[in-house]
């Protein structure tokens, strides 16, 4: 999907006169990442979304040659690659009434890793209010603004990007919510992302 975008935990403690047992206490182990196969059943389905949605075929890689210019943090992210940021991943995408799109990615890793890397990812994408990109030989001007998020899950991130394409302006919203060791990310028409983010988060396991 064109312009798909696609995080630290600070533990403090204070005590008055704790004994040796307190000093030896270890923090609880973080939940381990879920496997790819465990993520796939948690993806949104046509039944979850309702009428008018059609699942798209797997990406053909037509936008693999996207390059960013004019935003140092995004260029660095692009060089490092974000496909291997997390331990596991599952994804799906839909069209709505043949005109709008909605893509979903699920990522799993230890909660502290998800948190720090999501902050890094969304921090990079919102660090430059404007930048340029090319898809093949097509130049695209992009404007980015942070967006409000519902108070669901453990952490929430969102931004809206407006891309000036040869066919006209296209607005996409990217929103991610972390719930324990799983993060859901929706990308698509802003109204569709806002409409389905809570459903997507509700599908995540309560103990994740």
């Amino acid at each position: 999907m064109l312009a798909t975008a696609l995080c630290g935990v600070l533990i403090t403690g204070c005590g008055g006169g704790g004994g040796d047992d307190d000093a030896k206490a270890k923090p609880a182990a973080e939940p381990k990442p879920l496997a790819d196969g465990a993520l796939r059943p948690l993806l949104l389905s046509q039944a979850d979304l309702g009428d008018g949605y059609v699942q798209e075929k797997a990406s053909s890689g037509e936008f693999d040659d996207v390059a960013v210019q004019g935003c140092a943090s995004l260029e660095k992210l692009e060089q490092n690659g974000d496909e291997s940021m997390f331990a596991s991943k599952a994804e799906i995408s839909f069209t709505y009434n043949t005109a709008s799109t909605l893509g979903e990615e699920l990522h799993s890793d230890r909660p502290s890793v998800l948190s720090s890397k999501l902050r890094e990812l969304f921090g990079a994408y919102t660090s430059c209010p404007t930048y340029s990109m090319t898809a093949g030989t097509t130049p695209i001007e992009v404007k980015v603004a942070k967006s409000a998020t519902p108070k669901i899950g453990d952490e929430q991130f969102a931004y809206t990007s407006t891309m000036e394409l040869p066919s006209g302006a296209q607005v996409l919203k990217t929103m991610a919510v972390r719930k324990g060791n799983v993060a859901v990310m929706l990308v698509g028409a802003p109204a569709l992302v806002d409409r389905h983010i809570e459903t997507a988060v509700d599908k995540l396991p309560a103990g994740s």
Side-chain angles (χ1 to χ4, degrees):
M1 181 180 294
L2 184 60
T4 296
L6 268 166
C7 309
V9 174
L10 176 64
I11 301 176
T12 59
C14 56
D20 290 343
D21 289 342
D22 292 333
K24 295 177 183 178
K26 295 181 179 180
E30 288 191 292
K32 294 181 179 180
L34 300 181
D36 292 2
L39 289 177
R40 293 190 192 102
L42 307 178
L43 289 166
L44 290 168
S45 67
Q46 288 172 281
D48 296 320
L49 299 174
D51 295 337
Y53 291 86
V54 177
Q55 184 177 340
E56 294 183 342
K57 295 180 180 179
S59 173
S60 61
E62 61 180 314
F63 297 123
D64 286 348
D65 57 348
V66 172
V68 173
Q69 305 90 31
C71 184
S73 56
L74 279 182
E75 292 175 36
K76 180 180 179 181
L77 188 69
E78 183 181 45
Q79 291 170 359
N80 294 338
D82 61 1
E83 286 302 307
S84 59
M85 287 188 74
F86 305 106
S88 57
K89 174 183 177 181
E91 60 186 325
I92 196 169
S93 58
F94 301 88
T95 56
Y96 177 63
N97 287 344
T98 72
S100 301
T101 62
L102 179 68
E104 180 186 23
E105 293 181 3
L106 292 177
H107 299 280
S108 185
D109 215 314
R110 291 182 291 112
S112 61
V113 174
L114 276 179
S115 179
S116 63
K117 290 187 175 181
L118 283 171
R119 288 182 183 277
E120 176 186 349
L121 184 65
F122 278 76
Y125 271 93
T126 57
S127 64
C128 301
T130 61
Y131 64 90
S132 301
M133 59 188 292
T134 54
T137 58
T138 303
I140 303 169
E141 296 298 318
V142 185
K143 296 180 180 179
V144 178
K146 291 184 179 181
S147 300
T149 58
K151 298 302 180 183
I152 53 179
D154 297 316
E155 291 182 284
Q156 315 85 23
F157 310 86
Y159 66 87
T160 302
S161 53
T162 302
M163 298 178 292
E164 295 295 339
L165 304 169
S167 57
Q170 181 181 8
V171 180
L172 293 177
K173 189 169 190 175
T174 302
M175 185 180 297
V177 174
R178 181 183 68 82
K179 184 179 179 182
N181 63 347
V182 180
V184 56
M185 186 182 300
L186 296 187
V187 183
L192 301 186
V193 171
D194 291 341
R195 185 183 306 167
H196 296 296
I197 187 64
E198 291 193 29
T199 301
V201 173
D202 286 345
K203 294 194 73 169
L204 303 184
S208 67

